[in-house]
Amino acid sequence: MASPLEKARKDPESVKAKILLVARRVFGVYGFHGTTIRMVAQELGMDISTLHYHWGDKRDLYEAVVLDINHDLGQNLINVEKMIHGLPLPDRLAISIDYMTDYLFAHPEISNLIIFRYFGKTREEAGIDFKVPEFTYDIARSMGLVKNKKNVSSHVMLMVLALMNSMHCFISGEDFFRPIVALSREEYIAETKKALKFIHIPAFTQGSDQKDK
Amino acid sequence: MASPLEKARKDPESVKAKILLVARRVFGVYGFHGTTIRMVAQELGMDISTLHYHWGDKRDLYEAVVLDINHDLGQNLINVEKMIHGLPLPDRLAISIDYMTDYLFAHPEISNLIIFRYFGKTREEAGIDFKVPEFTYDIARSMGLVKNKKNVSSHVMLMVLALMNSMHCFISGEDFFRPIVALSREEYIAETKKALKFIHIPAFTQGSDQKDK
DNA sequence: TTACAGTTCAATCATTTGATGGAGATCAAT
DNA sequence: ATTGATCTCCATCAAATGATTGAACTGTAA
């Protein structure tokens, strides 16, 4: 049985795909409770009943958005893992930060929604979750920071979480932070990358391997 | 004319003070749209009309919460600034991180609400804002990272923002992150402090020593 | 053409939610 | 006890919001 999400992914020109795209953005800006299906429908130029016809209720649409973002994020983490395979740790970090920062700045609703999910609650708890634990572990592993396959140290996990959070914050908070530093968008992206590398690469290298300190 | 907020602060035993306390927590957990005044009233064991009697409408209550949190945060930044005056940079950072982490873990709704404010929008834009730009500048100054009084470099501002964000994320995201690292609350707080210092102190010190541009 | 599945939308319903009115309770001062 | 101010809550309203219905439109195959 093909879910609306699967149909949307199969045909990017379909109405379902357009709905998914707009829903990602609107949910990303206003969160679950802050978004009304009328807002989504209006942005799409269609009636709310048409939305229901394609996707079911609001919760279904939101969970499809979460699944879709999980999928996209996972794909890109796989991509970056291939790019950095075999390189020394500082290079792995620098390339990962550059790649993921560019990707997330191009799709800020991903960072928005992940942060909403981290730090907010919805009144009716959802059954679907972001794969942060899995992703965090995968990143730690692909960075070569995992010694025993089973026991990843809390310290390493927190380091990885700090890096991911920092990225999401700068991307999701662009509208808030960029006026503070008075930079153009391009400058802000460049400075964000620079700051992330400046802060986190020394932390990781001094923490795991002492080959280059 | 005394606003409800001023009355609440004058008498911590008053009904208005109790309302403010509960409202901080509920708004912090569910955000503005996710919170209903019925939720707040029920948690207080009072009728919604009593809430209106004391505070006016929902927006008023929310803005009072924001003002209150701004006030508390500002006070604590002043406190910490006194504590670190005259010490060398690494000590200033370590003490600030310890103090503010403890404070925010004791009042997580502050981090929650600040993060809500950074990364989400409300449908009707509010007239009241967090004082992040001012606070960021003050922190940079009290850390001795500001060269010219007028032009604070974007790089330094981003470093300070990164540190503040990292703190808020770990505190606000405790329910999400702590199961990932499988730590008790006390361990989680200790590890958070350790990670924050481990990551950010080298970044700041290497920044002010060799290259600040 | 007809038949039919797929799609869209105006109209409508039911619930939630923010807000209000007015009656009653409580209490201090006179 | 009376009065008036303060406070509380039940009942209710109006708007917002999620969801549904049924009619109409579209295109395609027989």
Side-chain angles (χ1 to χ4, degrees):
Chain A
M1 182 54 185
S3 70
L5 178 57
E6 288 161 355
K7 290 183 185 175
R9 266 210 273 271
K10 193 157 57 183
D11 180 8
E13 297 300 315
S14 66
V15 177
K16 289 181 173 54
K18 293 190 204 310
I19 292 175
L20 188 62
L21 199 67
V22 171
R24 273 173 65 144
R25 196 177 67 246
V26 180
F27 276 124
V29 173
Y30 295 98
F32 179 75
H33 289 298
T35 299
T36 68
I37 55 170
R38 280 173 174 80
M39 291 164 62
V40 179
Q42 181 166 14
E43 194 117 348
L44 283 159
M46 66 174 56
D47 193 86
I48 52 171
S49 47
T50 307
L51 248 186
H52 276 93
Y53 172 79
H54 284 287
W55 277 101
D57 63 20
K58 181 186 181 182
R59 192 102 230 167
D60 290 338
L61 181 55
Y62 178 71
E63 298 194 350
V65 164
V66 172
L67 284 175
D68 193 48
I69 280 174
N70 256 330
H71 175 266
D72 283 8
L73 192 58
Q75 283 300 115
N76 277 274
L77 287 175
I78 292 174
N79 284 353
V80 78
E81 191 169 352
K82 285 176 189 162
M83 294 171 57
I84 64 177
H85 187 72
L87 298 174
L89 179 57
D91 296 340
R92 291 205 296 279
L93 284 162
I95 293 173
S96 300
I97 288 171
D98 279 332
Y99 179 94
M100 290 306 297
T101 304
D102 279 330
Y103 173 69
L104 291 172
F105 265 113
H107 305 274
E109 77 277 6
I110 295 178
S111 291
N112 291 347
L113 274 160
I114 288 178
I115 284 179
F116 265 124
R117 211 37 184 217
Y118 280 1
F119 306 113
K121 283 188 172 52
T122 51
R123 275 159 4 217
E124 318 88 20
E125 273 315 305
I128 194 68
D129 252 331
F130 281 104
K131 299 183 181 173
V132 179
E134 293 89 331
F135 288 163
T136 309
Y137 176 81
D138 288 346
I139 294 170
R141 184 179 44 72
S142 77
M143 287 299 158
L145 301 169
V146 178
K147 301 291 189 283
N148 339 5
K149 287 290 176 189
K150 271 304 166 193
N151 267 357
V152 185
S153 87
S154 306
H155 182 71
V156 166
M157 291 294 269
L158 286 182
M159 300 280 285
V160 175
L161 285 173
L163 173 54
M164 292 174 67
N165 287 344
S166 228
M167 290 184 42
H168 291 311
C169 284
F170 279 127
I171 286 146
S172 181
E174 178 184 351
D175 292 344
F176 206 87
F177 298 144
R178 192 146 66 77
I180 296 177
V181 292
L183 295 175
S184 71
R185 178 172 165 84
E186 290 69 29
E187 291 168 335
Y188 179 77
I189 295 176
E191 286 295 320
T192 295
K193 289 183 189 175
K194 207 174 85 180
L196 287 172
K197 287 185 264 190
F198 189 80
I199 294 169
H200 290 273
I201 292 182
F204 273 105
T205 51
Q206 93 182 44
S208 63
D209 305 33
Q210 284 83 348
K211 62 175 70 171
D212 41 19
K213 168 59 176 45
Chain B
M1 182 55 185
S3 69
L5 178 57
E6 288 161 357
K7 291 183 185 174
R9 265 209 274 271
K10 192 157 55 185
D11 180 7
E13 297 300 315
S14 65
V15 178
K16 289 181 173 54
K18 294 189 203 311
I19 291 174
L20 188 62
L21 199 68
V22 171
R24 273 172 63 143
R25 197 177 66 245
V26 180
F27 275 124
V29 173
Y30 296 98
F32 179 76
H33 289 298
T35 299
T36 68
I37 56 170
R38 280 172 175 78
M39 291 164 62
V40 179
Q42 181 167 12
E43 195 118 348
L44 284 159
M46 66 174 56
D47 193 86
I48 51 172
S49 47
T50 307
L51 248 186
H52 276 93
Y53 173 79
H54 285 286
W55 275 102
D57 62 19
K58 181 185 180 183
R59 192 102 230 166
D60 290 337
L61 181 56
Y62 178 70
E63 297 193 350
V65 164
V66 172
L67 285 175
D68 192 48
I69 280 175
N70 256 332
H71 175 266
D72 283 8
L73 192 59
Q75 283 299 113
N76 277 275
L77 287 176
I78 291 173
N79 285 351
V80 79
E81 191 168 351
K82 286 176 189 161
M83 295 171 56
I84 63 177
H85 187 72
L87 298 174
L89 179 56
D91 296 339
R92 291 205 298 278
L93 284 162
I95 292 172
S96 301
I97 288 171
D98 278 332
Y99 179 94
M100 290 306 296
T101 304
D102 279 329
Y103 173 69
L104 292 173
F105 264 112
H107 306 273
E109 77 277 6
I110 296 179
S111 291
N112 291 347
L113 274 161
I114 288 179
I115 284 179
F116 265 123
R117 217 26 192 225
Y118 279 3
F119 305 114
K121 284 188 172 53
T122 51
R123 283 175 333 236
E124 319 88 20
E125 272 317 305
I128 193 69
D129 252 329
F130 281 105
K131 299 183 181 172
V132 180
E134 293 88 334
F135 288 163
T136 309
Y137 174 81
D138 288 346
I139 294 171
R141 183 179 45 71
S142 78
M143 287 299 156
L145 301 169
V146 178
K147 301 292 188 281
N148 340 4
K149 287 290 175 189
K150 272 304 167 192
N151 267 357
V152 185
S153 87
S154 306
H155 185 254
V156 166
M157 291 293 270
L158 287 183
M159 300 279 286
V160 175
L161 286 173
L163 173 55
M164 293 174 66
N165 287 343
S166 228
M167 292 185 41
H168 291 311
C169 283
F170 279 126
I171 286 147
S172 179
E174 178 184 352
D175 292 344
F176 206 87
F177 299 144
R178 191 146 67 77
I180 297 178
V181 292
L183 296 175
S184 72
R185 179 174 165 85
E186 290 69 28
E187 291 169 336
Y188 179 77
I189 294 176
E191 285 294 320
T192 295
K193 289 181 188 175
K194 208 175 83 178
L196 288 172
K197 288 185 264 190
F198 189 81
I199 293 169
H200 289 274
I201 292 182
F204 273 105
T205 51
Q206 92 182 52
S208 68
D209 286 347
Q210 44 190 31
K211 47 174 285 188
D212 51 23
K213 191 59 203 301

mmCIF file of all heavy atoms in Angstrom, chain B residues 182-201:
data_model
loop_
_atom_site.group_PDB
_atom_site.id
_atom_site.type_symbol
_atom_site.label_atom_id
_atom_site.label_comp_id
_atom_site.label_asym_id
_atom_site.label_seq_id
_atom_site.Cartn_x
_atom_site.Cartn_y
_atom_site.Cartn_z
ATOM 1 N N ALA B 182 22.457 8.432 28.212
ATOM 2 C CA ALA B 182 22.227 7.508 29.336
ATOM 3 C C ALA B 182 22.937 7.951 30.606
ATOM 4 O O ALA B 182 23.767 7.237 31.163
ATOM 5 C CB ALA B 182 22.658 6.088 28.956
ATOM 6 N N LEU B 183 22.622 9.155 31.047
ATOM 7 C CA LEU B 183 23.211 9.673 32.275
ATOM 8 C C LEU B 183 22.105 10.092 33.239
ATOM 9 O O LEU B 183 20.992 10.408 32.808
ATOM 10 C CB LEU B 183 24.094 10.895 31.970
ATOM 11 C CG LEU B 183 25.335 10.683 31.112
ATOM 12 C CD1 LEU B 183 26.009 12.014 30.815
ATOM 13 C CD2 LEU B 183 26.310 9.731 31.796
ATOM 14 N N SER B 184 22.438 10.103 34.506
ATOM 15 C CA SER B 184 21.513 10.672 35.484
ATOM 16 C C SER B 184 21.507 12.182 35.312
ATOM 17 O O SER B 184 22.359 12.755 34.627
ATOM 18 C CB SER B 184 21.954 10.322 36.900
ATOM 19 O OG SER B 184 23.112 11.054 37.244
ATOM 20 N N ARG B 185 20.554 12.813 35.967
ATOM 21 C CA ARG B 185 20.476 14.267 35.812
ATOM 22 C C ARG B 185 21.746 14.947 36.296
ATOM 23 O O ARG B 185 22.280 15.838 35.617
ATOM 24 C CB ARG B 185 19.262 14.805 36.571
ATOM 25 C CG ARG B 185 19.136 16.304 36.486
ATOM 26 C CD ARG B 185 17.841 16.799 37.116
ATOM 27 N NE ARG B 185 17.899 18.235 37.346
ATOM 28 C CZ ARG B 185 17.605 19.166 36.459
ATOM 29 N NH1 ARG B 185 17.230 18.786 35.250
ATOM 30 N NH2 ARG B 185 17.684 20.442 36.743
ATOM 31 N N GLU B 186 22.243 14.520 37.451
ATOM 32 C CA GLU B 186 23.442 15.143 37.985
ATOM 33 C C GLU B 186 24.631 14.922 37.048
ATOM 34 O O GLU B 186 25.412 15.844 36.781
ATOM 35 C CB GLU B 186 23.768 14.582 39.376
ATOM 36 C CG GLU B 186 22.795 15.014 40.460
ATOM 37 C CD GLU B 186 21.416 14.386 40.281
ATOM 38 O OE1 GLU B 186 21.331 13.266 39.695
ATOM 39 O OE2 GLU B 186 20.410 15.004 40.679
ATOM 40 N N GLU B 187 24.762 13.698 36.564
ATOM 41 C CA GLU B 187 25.853 13.412 35.630
ATOM 42 C C GLU B 187 25.713 14.244 34.358
ATOM 43 O O GLU B 187 26.702 14.759 33.825
ATOM 44 C CB GLU B 187 25.856 11.914 35.271
ATOM 45 C CG GLU B 187 26.244 11.003 36.422
ATOM 46 C CD GLU B 187 25.963 9.545 36.102
ATOM 47 O OE1 GLU B 187 25.081 9.269 35.242
ATOM 48 O OE2 GLU B 187 26.597 8.675 36.696
ATOM 49 N N TYR B 188 24.486 14.343 33.903
ATOM 50 C CA TYR B 188 24.255 15.101 32.668
ATOM 51 C C TYR B 188 24.660 16.563 32.833
ATOM 52 O O TYR B 188 25.314 17.142 31.968
ATOM 53 C CB TYR B 188 22.783 15.001 32.270
ATOM 54 C CG TYR B 188 22.415 15.764 31.023
ATOM 55 C CD1 TYR B 188 22.741 15.276 29.758
ATOM 56 C CD2 TYR B 188 21.735 16.973 31.095
ATOM 57 C CE1 TYR B 188 22.401 15.976 28.616
ATOM 58 C CE2 TYR B 188 21.385 17.683 29.966
ATOM 59 C CZ TYR B 188 21.717 17.172 28.721
ATOM 60 O OH TYR B 188 21.379 17.871 27.596
ATOM 61 N N ILE B 189 24.285 17.142 33.967
ATOM 62 C CA ILE B 189 24.677 18.531 34.226
ATOM 63 C C ILE B 189 26.199 18.659 34.272
ATOM 64 O O ILE B 189 26.791 19.547 33.647
ATOM 65 C CB ILE B 189 24.052 19.028 35.550
ATOM 66 C CG1 ILE B 189 22.531 19.089 35.409
ATOM 67 C CG2 ILE B 189 24.615 20.390 35.937
ATOM 68 C CD1 ILE B 189 21.806 19.474 36.686
ATOM 69 N N ALA B 190 26.845 17.745 34.975
ATOM 70 C CA ALA B 190 28.302 17.806 35.083
ATOM 71 C C ALA B 190 28.957 17.637 33.719
ATOM 72 O O ALA B 190 29.899 18.374 33.372
ATOM 73 C CB ALA B 190 28.792 16.727 36.061
ATOM 74 N N GLU B 191 28.464 16.683 32.945
ATOM 75 C CA GLU B 191 29.061 16.441 31.627
ATOM 76 C C GLU B 191 28.807 17.615 30.686
ATOM 77 O O GLU B 191 29.638 17.916 29.822
ATOM 78 C CB GLU B 191 28.501 15.146 31.021
ATOM 79 C CG GLU B 191 29.054 13.874 31.652
ATOM 80 C CD GLU B 191 30.547 13.705 31.381
ATOM 81 O OE1 GLU B 191 30.986 13.998 30.249
ATOM 82 O OE2 GLU B 191 31.272 13.297 32.307
ATOM 83 N N THR B 192 27.649 18.225 30.838
ATOM 84 C CA THR B 192 27.350 19.401 30.012
ATOM 85 C C THR B 192 28.353 20.514 30.288
ATOM 86 O O THR B 192 28.932 21.106 29.368
ATOM 87 C CB THR B 192 25.924 19.905 30.294
ATOM 88 O OG1 THR B 192 24.979 18.919 29.887
ATOM 89 C CG2 THR B 192 25.649 21.199 29.545
ATOM 90 N N LYS B 193 28.578 20.793 31.577
ATOM 91 C CA LYS B 193 29.569 21.817 31.917
ATOM 92 C C LYS B 193 30.930 21.465 31.338
ATOM 93 O O LYS B 193 31.619 22.307 30.748
ATOM 94 C CB LYS B 193 29.693 21.937 33.438
ATOM 95 C CG LYS B 193 28.508 22.563 34.134
ATOM 96 C CD LYS B 193 28.817 22.620 35.619
ATOM 97 C CE LYS B 193 27.620 23.049 36.438
ATOM 98 N NZ LYS B 193 27.904 22.980 37.886
ATOM 99 N N LYS B 194 31.312 20.205 31.516
ATOM 100 C CA LYS B 194 32.623 19.774 31.047
ATOM 101 C C LYS B 194 32.740 19.970 29.547
ATOM 102 O O LYS B 194 33.743 20.518 29.054
ATOM 103 C CB LYS B 194 32.844 18.296 31.420
ATOM 104 C CG LYS B 194 34.286 17.909 31.626
ATOM 105 C CD LYS B 194 34.414 16.462 32.106
ATOM 106 C CE LYS B 194 34.369 15.475 30.960
ATOM 107 N NZ LYS B 194 34.529 14.070 31.396
ATOM 108 N N ALA B 195 31.711 19.548 28.826
ATOM 109 C CA ALA B 195 31.753 19.661 27.369
ATOM 110 C C ALA B 195 31.791 21.122 26.938
ATOM 111 O O ALA B 195 32.552 21.499 26.039
ATOM 112 C CB ALA B 195 30.541 18.953 26.752
ATOM 113 N N LEU B 196 30.979 21.951 27.574
ATOM 114 C CA LEU B 196 30.965 23.369 27.196
ATOM 115 C C LEU B 196 32.330 23.999 27.397
ATOM 116 O O LEU B 196 32.826 24.744 26.539
ATOM 117 C CB LEU B 196 29.916 24.117 28.026
ATOM 118 C CG LEU B 196 28.451 23.836 27.666
ATOM 119 C CD1 LEU B 196 27.517 24.484 28.678
ATOM 120 C CD2 LEU B 196 28.135 24.346 26.262
ATOM 121 N N LYS B 197 32.954 23.707 28.545
ATOM 122 C CA LYS B 197 34.276 24.278 28.791
ATOM 123 C C LYS B 197 35.305 23.679 27.841
ATOM 124 O O LYS B 197 36.155 24.394 27.296
ATOM 125 C CB LYS B 197 34.679 24.034 30.255
ATOM 126 C CG LYS B 197 33.896 24.889 31.228
ATOM 127 C CD LYS B 197 34.389 24.727 32.653
ATOM 128 C CE LYS B 197 33.553 23.722 33.400
ATOM 129 N NZ LYS B 197 33.828 23.702 34.847
ATOM 130 N N PHE B 198 35.205 22.379 27.640
ATOM 131 C CA PHE B 198 36.148 21.683 26.768
ATOM 132 C C PHE B 198 36.108 22.237 25.346
ATOM 133 O O PHE B 198 37.135 22.376 24.688
ATOM 134 C CB PHE B 198 35.793 20.196 26.774
ATOM 135 C CG PHE B 198 36.781 19.320 26.096
ATOM 136 C CD1 PHE B 198 37.938 18.919 26.756
ATOM 137 C CD2 PHE B 198 36.566 18.888 24.796
ATOM 138 C CE1 PHE B 198 38.864 18.100 26.136
ATOM 139 C CE2 PHE B 198 37.491 18.061 24.169
ATOM 140 C CZ PHE B 198 38.638 17.672 24.839
ATOM 141 N N ILE B 199 34.900 22.561 24.885
ATOM 142 C CA ILE B 199 34.743 23.031 23.514
ATOM 143 C C ILE B 199 35.085 24.516 23.388
ATOM 144 O O ILE B 199 35.837 24.916 22.503
ATOM 145 C CB ILE B 199 33.299 22.794 23.030
ATOM 146 C CG1 ILE B 199 33.001 21.294 22.915
ATOM 147 C CG2 ILE B 199 33.065 23.470 21.676
ATOM 148 C CD1 ILE B 199 31.535 20.975 22.699
ATOM 149 N N HIS B 200 34.545 25.314 24.293
ATOM 150 C CA HIS B 200 34.541 26.755 24.035
ATOM 151 C C HIS B 200 35.737 27.502 24.606
ATOM 152 O O HIS B 200 36.127 28.541 24.066
ATOM 153 C CB HIS B 200 33.234 27.356 24.542
ATOM 154 C CG HIS B 200 32.053 26.968 23.706
ATOM 155 N ND1 HIS B 200 31.677 27.653 22.576
ATOM 156 C CD2 HIS B 200 31.182 25.932 23.814
ATOM 157 C CE1 HIS B 200 30.617 27.080 22.042
ATOM 158 N NE2 HIS B 200 30.291 26.030 22.769
ATOM 159 N N ILE B 201 36.312 27.025 25.682
ATOM 160 C CA ILE B 201 37.443 27.762 26.237
ATOM 161 C C ILE B 201 38.636 27.778 25.281
ATOM 162 O O ILE B 201 39.204 28.853 25.033
ATOM 163 C CB ILE B 201 37.825 27.202 27.624
ATOM 164 C CG1 ILE B 201 36.699 27.508 28.621
ATOM 165 C CG2 ILE B 201 39.131 27.828 28.109
ATOM 166 C CD1 ILE B 201 36.984 27.049 30.038
#
